Amino acid sequence: MKCDKKDLLLYAVTDRSWLGEQSLYEQVDEALKGGATFVQLREKALDDAAFLAEAIEIQKLCRKYHVPFVINDNVEIALKMNAEGVHVGQSDMEAGDVRALIGEDKILGVSAQTVEQAVLAEQRGADYLGVGAVFHTGSKADADDVSHETLKAICEAVSIPVVAIGGIGKHNVLQLKGSGICGIAVISAIFASEDIRSAASELKALTEQAVAK
């Protein structure tokens, strides 16, 4: 399964910081009902057995909605449970090595902050890029800010789809108009919301405006 750029319009990245009364499964279900078009399971603290069990359940959910499902960083788990793909950062396994492990038919997403990193990731087999942080974010302590000019330059330098990430919410998503992105990746803008479904729905409508040519 390869990703189409329309699949990347509203890319939901999970985070268990805001679970409250709900399970992660229930939160992802709400995000999908609200119109999330892509889901990345991001777990930095779970042990492998729990991560694998959760990944299998959430993949089933995503398949019900015909939405691509990828694993953040953990190539081994992605392979074990036959995820649609994997997303790696600059400090994770090198993109070419990941592609060699997962094969040609899986989705490979790579984080990039510079034109050089973006071009290299495309050459090494990335299907799409996650570029950011485009706005200041509290979700990732190590995220460097990427200016609008750099975001635009990255979109122009590669032929694969680019998703903006980092600090994006309904208050600023339209500022990304004209940059060349095909979608946004969000964490707290969906999962920290009191009403996940309507947050996703509202963000999706705004993102459609932001990516319109």
Side-chain angles (χ1 to χ4, degrees):
M1 176 181 186
K2 282 299 188 185
C3 64
D4 193 301
K5 69 178 193 182
K6 68 177 186 330
D7 294 332
L8 295 161
L9 182 70
L10 183 60
Y11 184 133
V13 182
T14 69
D15 191 320
R16 45 183 54 248
S17 305
W18 300 286
L19 286 187
E21 298 292 303
Q22 288 181 305
S23 67
L24 195 69
Y25 183 95
E26 287 167 333
Q27 288 201 336
V28 173
D29 193 28
E30 284 297 296
L32 289 162
K33 283 180 176 137
T37 58
F38 201 104
V39 172
Q40 179 192 129
L41 184 63
R42 185 166 175 259
E43 289 291 4
K44 295 297 185 186
L46 278 191
D47 65 67
D48 279 3
F51 191 170
L52 182 63
E54 178 181 80
I56 290 166
E57 284 305 300
I58 290 179
Q59 181 186 42
K60 280 183 200 157
L61 182 61
C62 290
R63 284 186 172 167
K64 193 172 97 180
Y65 290 90
H66 306 291
V67 164
F69 171 78
V70 299
I71 298 284
N72 175 274
D73 182 25
N74 196 320
V75 179
E76 202 176 298
I77 284 201
L79 286 170
K80 234 179 224 175
M81 47 88 52
N82 197 25
E84 279 75 17
V86 69
H87 185 96
V88 291
Q90 288 294 320
S91 58
D92 301 324
M93 191 187 288
E94 194 277 319
D97 296 338
V98 178
R99 175 57 77 202
L101 284 170
I102 65 174
E104 289 304 314
D105 61 336
K106 296 288 185 190
I107 299 168
L108 173 58
V110 178
S111 299
Q113 280 81 36
T114 66
V115 170
E116 292 74 22
Q117 288 174 355
V119 170
L120 191 61
E122 182 175 30
Q123 288 168 354
R124 300 263 167 91
D127 292 304
Y128 73 87
L129 298 172
V131 175
V134 293
F135 301 112
H136 188 66
T137 173
S139 296
K140 292 190 80 174
D142 58 349
D144 292 324
D145 289 353
V146 172
S147 68
H148 189 83
E149 291 70 32
T150 301
L151 178 62
K152 202 170 175 181
I154 287 172
C155 291
E156 286 165 0
V158 296
S159 57
I160 54 176
V162 172
V163 176
I165 189 167
I168 304 168
K170 56 189 181 190
H171 61 294
N172 60 14
V173 63
L174 290 174
Q175 291 174 35
L176 299 167
K177 196 168 173 61
S179 61
I181 58 165
C182 68
I184 60 166
V186 290
I187 305 174
S188 60
I190 289 179
F191 293 111
S193 173
E194 299 242 318
D195 185 340
I196 288 172
R197 193 187 306 191
S198 60
S201 175
E202 206 173 333
L203 260 178
K204 187 179 187 182
L206 287 166
T207 307
E208 280 167 346
Q209 291 176 48
V211 303
K213 291 286 182 277

